[in-house]
Coordinates of all heavy atoms in Angstrom, one line a residue:
R22 N 149.4 -8.3 -0.8 CA 150.8 -8.3 -0.8 C 151.4 -7.0 -0.2 O 152.3 -7.1 0.6 CB 151.3 -8.4 -2.2 CG 152.9 -8.6 -2.3 CD 153.4 -8.6 -3.7 NE 153.2 -7.2 -4.3 CZ 153.9 -6.2 -4.2 NH1 155.0 -6.2 -3.3 NH2 153.7 -5.1 -4.7
D23 N 150.7 -5.9 -0.5 CA 151.2 -4.6 0.2 C 151.1 -4.6 1.7 O 151.9 -4.1 2.4 CB 150.4 -3.4 -0.4 CG 150.8 -3.2 -1.9 OD1 151.9 -3.7 -2.4 OD2 150.1 -2.5 -2.6
L24 N 149.9 -5.1 2.1 CA 149.7 -5.2 3.6 C 150.7 -6.1 4.3 O 151.2 -5.9 5.3 CB 148.3 -5.5 3.9 CG 147.3 -4.5 3.6 CD1 145.9 -5.0 3.9 CD2 147.5 -3.2 4.4
E25 N 151.1 -7.2 3.6 CA 152.1 -8.1 4.1 C 153.4 -7.5 4.2 O 154.1 -7.7 5.2 CB 152.1 -9.4 3.3 CG 150.9 -10.3 3.4 CD 151.0 -11.4 2.5 OE1 151.9 -11.6 1.7 OE2 150.0 -12.3 2.5
V26 N 153.7 -6.6 3.2 CA 155.0 -5.9 3.3 C 155.0 -4.9 4.4 O 156.0 -4.7 5.1 CB 155.2 -5.1 1.9 CG1 156.4 -4.2 2.0 CG2 155.5 -6.1 0.8
A27 N 153.8 -4.3 4.6 CA 153.7 -3.3 5.8 C 153.9 -4.0 7.1 O 154.4 -3.4 8.0 CB 152.4 -2.6 5.7
M28 N 153.4 -5.2 7.2 CA 153.4 -5.8 8.5 C 154.7 -6.5 8.8 O 155.0 -6.9 9.9 CB 152.2 -6.9 8.6 CG 150.9 -6.2 8.5 SD 150.7 -4.8 9.6 CE 149.9 -5.6 10.9
S29 N 155.5 -6.7 7.7 CA 156.9 -7.3 8.0 C 157.7 -6.2 8.6 O 157.6 -5.1 8.4 CB 157.5 -7.8 6.6 OG 157.7 -6.8 5.8
F30 N 158.8 -6.7 9.3 CA 159.6 -5.8 10.1 C 160.8 -5.3 9.2 O 161.7 -6.1 8.9 CB 160.1 -6.4 11.4 CG 160.7 -5.4 12.3 CD1 159.8 -4.6 13.0 CD2 162.0 -5.3 12.4 CE1 160.4 -3.7 13.9 CE2 162.6 -4.4 13.3 CZ 161.7 -3.5 14.0
A31 N 160.7 -4.1 8.8 CA 161.8 -3.5 8.1 C 162.4 -2.4 9.0 O 161.9 -2.1 10.0 CB 161.4 -2.8 6.8
K32 N 163.6 -1.9 8.6 CA 164.2 -0.9 9.6 C 163.4 0.4 9.6 O 163.3 1.0 10.6 CB 165.7 -0.6 9.1 CG 166.6 -1.7 9.5 CD 168.0 -1.2 9.4 CE 168.9 -2.3 9.8 NZ 169.9 -1.9 10.7
Q33 N 162.8 0.7 8.4 CA 162.1 1.9 8.3 C 161.0 1.8 7.3 O 161.2 1.2 6.2 CB 163.0 3.0 7.9 CG 162.6 4.4 8.1 CD 163.7 5.4 7.8 OE1 164.4 5.2 6.8 NE2 164.0 6.3 8.7
I34 N 159.8 2.3 7.6 CA 158.7 2.3 6.6 C 158.4 3.8 6.3 O 158.3 4.6 7.2 CB 157.4 1.7 7.2 CG1 157.6 0.2 7.3 CG2 156.2 2.0 6.2 CD1 156.4 -0.5 7.9
V35 N 158.4 4.1 5.0 CA 158.1 5.5 4.6 C 156.7 5.6 4.0 O 156.4 4.8 3.1 CB 159.1 6.1 3.5 CG1 158.8 7.4 3.0 CG2 160.5 6.0 4.0
V36 N 155.8 6.4 4.6 CA 154.5 6.4 4.2 C 154.1 7.8 3.6 O 154.4 8.8 4.2 CB 153.5 6.2 5.5 CG1 152.0 6.3 5.1 CG2 153.9 4.9 6.1
D37 N 153.6 7.7 2.4 CA 153.1 9.0 1.8 C 151.7 9.3 2.3 O 150.8 8.5 2.0 CB 153.1 8.8 0.2 CG 152.7 10.0 -0.5 OD1 152.5 11.1 0.1 OD2 152.5 10.0 -1.7
C38 N 151.4 10.3 3.0 CA 150.1 10.6 3.6 C 149.2 11.3 2.7 O 148.0 11.4 3.1 CB 150.3 11.5 4.9 SG 151.3 10.7 6.1
R39 N 149.5 11.7 1.6 CA 148.7 12.4 0.6 C 147.5 11.6 0.2 O 147.6 10.5 -0.3 CB 149.5 12.9 -0.6 CG 148.7 13.8 -1.5 CD 149.5 14.3 -2.5 NE 148.8 15.2 -3.3 CZ 148.9 15.4 -4.6 NH1 149.7 14.7 -5.3 NH2 148.1 16.3 -5.2
G40 N 146.3 12.1 0.5 CA 145.0 11.5 0.0 C 144.5 10.4 1.0 O 143.5 9.9 0.8
H41 N 145.1 10.2 2.2 CA 144.6 9.3 3.1 C 143.7 10.0 4.2 O 144.0 11.2 4.5 CB 145.8 8.6 3.9 CG 146.5 7.6 3.0 ND1 146.1 6.4 2.6 CD2 147.8 7.8 2.5 CE1 147.0 5.8 1.9 NE2 148.0 6.6 1.8
L42 N 142.8 9.2 4.8 CA 142.0 9.8 5.8 C 142.8 9.8 7.1 O 143.6 8.8 7.4 CB 140.7 9.0 6.0 CG 139.7 9.2 5.0 CD1 138.5 8.2 5.2 CD2 139.2 10.6 5.0
L43 N 142.7 10.9 7.9 CA 143.5 11.1 9.1 C 143.4 10.0 10.1 O 144.3 9.4 10.5 CB 143.2 12.4 9.7 CG 144.0 12.8 10.9 CD1 145.5 12.9 10.6 CD2 143.4 14.0 11.5
G44 N 142.2 9.6 10.5 CA 141.9 8.6 11.5 C 142.3 7.2 11.1 O 143.0 6.5 11.9
R45 N 142.1 6.9 9.9 CA 142.4 5.5 9.4 C 143.9 5.3 9.4 O 144.5 4.3 9.7 CB 141.7 5.2 8.1 CG 140.2 5.0 8.3 CD 139.6 4.8 7.0 NE 138.1 4.8 7.1 CZ 137.4 3.8 7.4 NH1 137.9 2.6 7.5 NH2 136.1 3.9 7.5
L46 N 144.6 6.4 8.8 CA 146.0 6.3 8.7 C 146.7 6.3 10.0 O 147.6 5.6 10.3 CB 146.5 7.5 7.9 CG 148.0 7.5 7.7 CD1 148.5 6.4 6.7 CD2 148.4 8.9 6.9
S47 N 146.2 7.1 11.0 CA 146.8 7.2 12.3 C 146.7 5.9 13.1 O 147.6 5.5 13.8 CB 146.3 8.3 13.1 OG 144.8 8.2 13.3

Side-chain angles (χ1 to χ4, degrees):
R22 186 187 64 81
D23 289 342
L24 289 176
E25 287 174 1
V26 168
M28 299 311 264
S29 66
F30 193 78
K32 286 199 178 228
Q33 198 173 46
I34 291 179
V35 178
V36 179
D37 182 10
C38 298
R39 185 173 186 216
H41 291 288
L42 286 175
L43 179 65
R45 294 179 186 265
L46 181 66
S47 60

